[in-house]
Amino acid sequence: MRILVVEDEVDLADAIARGLTREGYAVDIANDGAAAREKLDINPYDLVTLDLVLPGLDGWEVLKEIKSKPESREIPIVIVSVREGRELGLALGASDFFVKPIEPRGFLRRIRELLA
């Protein structure tokens, strides 16, 4: 299974990627919305973790774009953000919403559930 981590904080992106890799997932990282868009156009992903506060194209726009395309609308999106917005995120099609700092065990458990 392949996961895209969209996160502009390099240390957090690396930490999330390490945890997911230890769980056996293949992980790519995009540090901004434009890079996420490019990776999503090239690679098939089974899940995306998405920060909302990104330079340039923000996470809300990335979420809307993913959910608007037939080829990507079924991809589970897990929002990971310092910003509140759970209700809006879920209404726009996110599968779950975690507020930073995230609790790793609960986060990884939810990823496993979504990919089961």
Side-chain angles (χ1 to χ4, degrees):
M1 299 241 148
R2 188 179 198 101
I3 297 175
L4 177 62
V5 174
V6 184
E7 173 60 59
D8 64 326
E9 294 178 40
V10 175
D11 291 341
L12 181 56
D14 289 343
I16 292 171
R18 278 193 309 274
L20 293 169
T21 300
R22 279 194 298 271
E23 292 287 317
Y25 302 114
V27 179
D28 293 329
I29 296 173
N31 295 117
D32 59 46
R37 176 190 284 159
E38 289 174 21
K39 289 181 183 291
L40 285 156
D41 285 343
I42 296 169
N43 300 302
Y45 290 99
D46 299 292
L47 186 138
V48 175
T49 70
L50 179 62
D51 185 11
L52 295 175
V53 182
L54 297 168
L57 185 68
D58 73 10
W60 292 117
E61 291 302 316
V62 173
L63 175 61
K64 290 176 195 172
E65 192 170 307
I66 291 170
K67 292 302 178 179
S68 71
K69 294 181 178 179
E71 65 273 14
S72 60
R73 76 170 46 122
E74 298 302 319
I75 299 172
I77 309 295
V78 176
I79 295 173
V80 178
S81 184
V82 295
R83 185 180 288 173
E84 288 293 331
R86 179 178 183 81
E87 293 77 22
L88 179 57
L90 297 177
L92 291 174
S95 299
D96 212 332
F97 193 105
F98 286 82
V99 177
K100 295 177 188 175
I102 58 174
E103 191 278 306
R105 278 178 273 173
F107 176 74
L108 292 172
R109 181 176 53 250
R110 184 63 177 135
I111 299 295
R112 285 191 299 271
E113 290 169 1
L114 290 167
L115 292 174

